């Protein structure tokens, strides 16, 4: 009995003929469908997936950069009577609010995606990001609450959406990617963070240039009058609000993406629908048509199938991960991400020092100060951040994830040690060079691999939950860096950075710990997700026929292997 062909589609996802509609055996369709994903050559549908899935990370990085510029602008508008600078507590609250919301989003969306499926919630997190972004850009103070309180509220909301994007985009990209280049595809999704930083710098720079005439009337911050403050007020709203534009463009494609076939096959247990969904994704079309349930039931009567796989539940989750051979992997992915993000976000403590070293900080007049802050950060982004992301994309499937992560942590340990112990002996340009190298090897190393590996190394039924836990650990590290370690920088000299060298030494210690804990992280390059799961978790896909005998579902593995291997379950 053949399956029902798919219908519907849109301009980005064209509807081709379902190659497996004539196959009666749903297990055979499963084998062929997953084989087609795993062995598919890199194509335009992979590029579409990279763009659609990467929009969330673009917005995430855009916000992180734009709020640093916006904080400077907010000082001129709302804290004119306090030296045109946000109080330290307000500055910290605005920046940490997003990280707090992100932790909630990562844990909640990570869990719910394993319960109801990826498709049913993919796009909801982007809607939350859009609402939170627009809410910030339209915020204002009142008699009852100041601007900082309103911004913190909307940034928590936006953070929840950003948090949801981490596990969803990772696992959806992973489950739809060809095995040979899965690392590069997932890395390219994450590399949108670099473009987000670049985009925010360009938008802020354009907004500054657009109000140049008004800003130049204020030779000092104290002289920024009503017209100047109005101009700066418009600038920060434009800079933050523009982050919602690419998210709006990608929203349609997220809401119409098909369910990942691996979730359909292995968790929802709908073999018929899974074969159709994979064809919809690869061909580029996805409509609202549902499978003929009557045909599926009739086929089940003829050839009853029972997949011998544990069902997802909290009891099974704890039973699975409390075993050391499985729990050590979660400790490795979550622990390495936490340790990395402490230094990743803490590295921003160096920004003012580095910008001063290259002559892009400390200018008295409003226009030059904002303009130089934008240009200086633009230079830093292009010098180390963006190249690091794309070096990682180029080498992930050749060198391997584990090697890049362990090597990256080792190099970062050395670099932070040099900055910390030789801080007062290094020239400004020397600090610039070390800063760029840190950015380079963070992105060309653990910052990228900590995102990729959790999307590959867990069973399908817990892949999103485990990724969410790992990602949330990273954001907890960011909060630690911003609230606990950042204040140490000014210890003994309020307003200065006399303890910054010791902070860098602390980061070196965290990088060393990251080096050791990364040995718990498995290598996943150029293996199918089913082969990885069988190797790490010992779970294979079996079915029971009507006579009660077990028979394995077998198929070819992809990547560099040409022999037939057993296709593992979840």
């Amino acid at each position: 009995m053949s399956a029902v062909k798919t219908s519907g589609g849109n301009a980005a996802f064209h509807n081709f003929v379902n190659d497996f509609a004539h196959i009666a055996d749903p297990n055979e369709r499963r084998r062929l469908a997953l084989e087609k994903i795993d062995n598919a050559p890199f194509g335009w549908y992979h590029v579409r997936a990279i763009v659609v899935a990467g929009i969330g990370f673009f917005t995430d990085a855009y916000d992180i950069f734009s709020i640093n510029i916006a904080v400077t602008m907010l000082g001129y508008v709302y804290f004119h009577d306090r030296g045109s600078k946000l109080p330290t507590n307000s500055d910290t609250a605005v920046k940490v609010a997003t990280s707090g919301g992100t932790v909630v989003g990562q844990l909640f969306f990570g869990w719910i995606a394993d319960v109801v499926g990826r498709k049913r919630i993919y796009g909801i997190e982007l809607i939350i990001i859009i609402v939170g972004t627009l809410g910030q850009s339209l915020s204002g103070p009142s008699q009852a609450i100041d601007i900082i309180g309103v911004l913190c509220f909307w940034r928590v909301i936006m953070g929840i959406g950003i948090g949801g994007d981490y596990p969803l985009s990772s696992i959806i990209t992973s489950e739809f990617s060809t095995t040979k280049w899965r690392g590069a595809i997932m890395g390219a999704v994450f590399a949108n963070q670099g473009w987000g930083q670049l985009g925010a710098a360009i938008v802020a720079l354009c907004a500054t240039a657009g109000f140049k005439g008004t800003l130049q009337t204020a030779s000092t911050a104290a002289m920024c009058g009503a017209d100047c403050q109005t101009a700066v007020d418009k600038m920060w709203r434009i800079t933050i609000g523009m982050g919602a534009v690419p998210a709006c463009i990608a929203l349609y494609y997220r809401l119409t993406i098909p369910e990942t076939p691996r979730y359909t096959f292995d968790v929802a247990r709908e073999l018929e629908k899974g074969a159709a969904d994979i064809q919809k994704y690869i061909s580029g079309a996805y409509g609202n048509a549902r499978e003929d349930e009557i045909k599926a039931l009739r086929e089940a009567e003829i050839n009853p199938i029972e997949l011998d796989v544990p069902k997802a539940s909290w009891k099974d989750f704890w039973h699975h991960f409390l075993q050391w051979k499985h729990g050590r992997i979660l400790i490795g992915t979550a622990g390495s991400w936490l340790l990395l993000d402490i230094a990743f976000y803490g590295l921003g403590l160096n920004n003012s020092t580095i910008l001063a070293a290259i002559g892009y900080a400390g200018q008295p007049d409003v226009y030059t100060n904002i303009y130089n802050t934008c240009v200086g950060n633009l230079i830093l982004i292009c010098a180390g951040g963006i190249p690091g992301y794309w070096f990682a994309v180029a080498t992930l499937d050749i060198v391997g994830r584990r090697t890049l992560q362990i090597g990256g942590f080792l190099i970062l340990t050395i670099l932070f040690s040099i900055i910390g112990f030789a801080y007062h002996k290094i020239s400004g340009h020397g600090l610039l060079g070390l800063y760029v190298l840190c950015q380079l090897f963070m992105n060309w190393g653990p910052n990228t691999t900590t995102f990729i590996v959790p999307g590959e190394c867990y069973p399908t039924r817990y892949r999103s939950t485990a990724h969410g836990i790992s990602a949330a650990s990273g954001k907890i590290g960011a909060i630690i860096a911003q609230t606990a370690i950042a204040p140490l920088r000014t210890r003994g000299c309020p307003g200065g950075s006399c303890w910054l060298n010791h902070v860098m030494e602390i980061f070196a210690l965290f990088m060393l710990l990251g080096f050791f804990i990364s040995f718990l992280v498995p290598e996943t390059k150029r293996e199918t997700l089913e082969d990885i799961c069988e190797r790490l978790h010992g779970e294979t896909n079996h079915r029971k026929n009507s006579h009660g005998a077990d028979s394995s579902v077998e198929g070819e593995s992809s990547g560099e292997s040409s022999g037939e291997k057993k296709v593992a379950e979840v």
Side-chain angles (χ1 to χ4, degrees):
M1 185 177 296
S2 61
V4 179
K5 295 181 180 180
T6 60
S7 62
N10 55 57
F13 294 87
H14 182 66
N15 189 358
F16 292 93
V17 177
N18 191 323
D19 290 345
F20 311 114
H22 62 285
I23 305 296
D25 183 0
N27 282 291
E28 179 66 6
R29 281 198 299 278
R30 177 190 190 277
R31 184 185 73 82
L32 293 172
L34 296 186
E35 183 182 87
K36 185 163 187 178
I37 282 187
D38 293 334
N39 294 331
F42 186 85
W44 281 109
Y45 62 91
H46 291 120
V47 176
R48 289 196 299 269
I50 289 170
V51 173
V52 173
I55 288 298
F57 296 103
F58 179 98
T59 305
D60 182 15
Y62 183 101
D63 169 74
I64 291 172
F65 178 87
S66 63
I67 196 61
N68 289 332
I69 300 296
V71 162
T72 302
M73 297 177 182
L74 287 168
Y76 290 115
V77 180
Y78 298 104
F79 296 88
H80 190 67
D81 57 342
R82 302 184 189 178
S84 298
K85 186 176 181 180
L86 262 68
T88 302
N89 291 340
S90 298
D91 185 288
T92 301
V94 168
K95 295 176 180 178
V96 172
T98 304
S99 296
T102 301
V103 171
V104 175
Q106 288 165 334
L107 293 174
F108 175 75
F109 280 93
W111 164 72
I112 200 69
D114 281 334
V115 175
V116 303
R118 288 70 159 123
K119 170 184 166 49
R120 291 179 64 179
I121 58 172
Y122 200 46
I124 294 176
E125 81 295 333
L126 201 59
I127 294 174
I128 296 174
I129 291 173
I130 293 170
V131 171
T133 301
L134 294 178
Q136 288 179 79
S137 63
L138 299 175
S139 295
S142 70
Q143 296 298 321
I145 188 171
D146 65 11
I147 186 65
I148 300 302
V150 178
L151 282 177
C152 286
F153 170 80
W154 285 114
R155 290 182 66 75
V156 169
I157 298 299
M158 184 187 67
I160 292 173
I162 289 174
D165 197 59
Y166 273 77
L168 285 171
S169 289
S170 174
I171 61 173
I172 286 173
T173 306
S174 172
E175 292 174 358
F176 270 129
S177 294
T178 176
T179 302
K180 186 175 182 180
W181 301 114
R182 187 175 61 240
I185 293 170
M186 295 178 71
V189 169
F190 194 64
N192 277 276
Q193 284 194 337
W195 300 128
Q197 294 173 354
L198 182 66
I202 292 174
V203 170
L205 192 61
C206 291
T208 304
F211 291 96
K212 179 179 179 179
T214 305
L215 299 180
Q216 285 183 326
T217 61
S219 57
T220 64
M223 296 180 65
C224 187
D227 291 341
C228 171
Q229 291 180 30
T230 300
V232 177
D233 193 37
K234 293 177 181 178
M235 286 163 52
W236 76 260
R237 295 178 189 277
I238 292 170
T239 301
I240 290 179
M242 286 296 291
V245 174
C248 292
I249 296 172
L251 181 60
Y252 167 77
Y253 299 103
R254 287 201 176 193
L255 293 174
T256 57
I257 195 171
E259 181 58 83
T260 69
R262 285 180 163 97
Y263 182 88
T264 303
F265 286 136
D266 301 337
V267 181
R269 319 292 178 99
E270 299 175 29
L271 295 174
E272 283 280 356
K273 191 171 182 296
D277 280 342
I278 182 56
Q279 193 61 25
K280 291 174 186 177
Y281 175 79
I282 289 182
S283 67
Y286 191 75
N288 294 321
R290 296 184 59 82
E291 301 299 328
D292 189 334
E293 296 180 1
I294 296 177
K295 287 188 176 182
L297 290 172
R298 287 177 178 172
E299 184 166 323
E301 291 176 357
I302 297 172
N303 186 25
I305 294 172
E306 178 186 349
L307 292 177
D308 188 19
V309 180
K311 291 186 177 181
S313 66
W314 281 115
K315 181 179 179 180
D316 178 64
F317 177 89
W318 291 115
H319 177 267
H320 185 82
F321 285 105
L322 285 178
Q323 300 177 61
W324 172 246
K325 63 180 179 179
H326 303 143
R328 66 191 291 271
I329 300 174
L330 186 58
I331 293 173
T333 58
S336 58
W337 206 334
L338 182 147
L339 294 167
L340 181 277
D341 270 12
I342 290 176
F344 181 79
Y345 284 85
L347 190 62
L349 300 175
N350 261 325
N351 275 10
S352 59
T353 303
I354 299 303
L355 291 176
I358 59 177
Y360 282 95
Q363 303 300 322
D365 63 289
V366 176
Y367 170 75
T368 306
N369 186 36
I370 298 175
Y371 178 87
N372 282 0
T373 301
C374 296
V375 174
N377 279 280
L378 189 61
I379 293 171
L380 297 180
I381 293 164
C382 294
I386 292 177
Y389 283 116
W390 292 99
F391 285 160
V393 170
T395 55
L396 278 163
D397 291 305
I398 299 172
V399 177
R401 289 78 152 142
R402 191 168 186 260
T403 302
L404 281 181
Q405 181 162 318
I406 292 173
F409 270 122
L410 181 60
I411 293 172
L412 289 169
T413 301
I414 296 171
L415 291 173
F416 277 113
S417 296
I418 294 172
I419 296 174
F421 290 102
Y423 184 81
H424 297 294
K425 300 178 182 179
I426 302 174
S427 65
H429 289 87
L431 283 175
L432 172 62
L434 290 168
Y435 179 94
V436 169
L437 287 175
C438 285
Q439 289 276 19
L440 178 69
F441 285 104
M442 276 188 173
N443 294 332
W444 189 15
N447 189 39
T448 301
T449 57
T450 50
F451 167 77
I452 292 174
V453 175
E456 300 175 312
C457 68
Y458 294 110
T460 302
R461 67 187 186 279
Y462 297 132
R463 186 171 292 134
S464 182
T465 302
H467 193 288
I469 292 172
S470 301
S473 299
K475 285 302 180 183
I476 290 172
I479 294 172
I480 292 172
Q482 292 167 322
T483 59
I485 298 179
L488 294 176
R489 178 180 53 128
T490 60
R491 182 180 179 184
C493 53
S497 299
C498 55
W499 231 65
L500 185 58
N501 59 321
H502 299 303
V503 171
M504 295 299 111
E505 293 164 6
I506 293 172
F507 289 155
L509 175 61
F510 283 123
M511 295 301 94
L512 183 61
L513 294 175
F515 168 77
F516 286 114
I517 204 170
S518 292
F519 284 95
L520 298 177
V521 176
E523 181 56 72
T524 56
K525 73 169 183 176
R526 293 192 171 174
E527 286 185 89
T528 67
L529 297 180
E530 288 69 38
D531 287 341
I532 293 170
C533 186
E534 181 175 3
R535 174 170 59 86
L536 298 178
H537 302 276
E539 297 179 2
T540 54
N541 185 27
H542 295 279
R543 62 170 179 158
K544 293 181 180 179
N545 60 29
S546 58
H547 302 290
D550 289 347
S551 59
S552 298
V553 181
E554 295 185 354
E556 293 181 0
S557 68
S558 62
E560 299 174 326
S561 174
S562 60
E564 288 194 346
K565 293 183 179 179
K566 190 177 294 182
V567 177
E569 166 64 6
V570 289

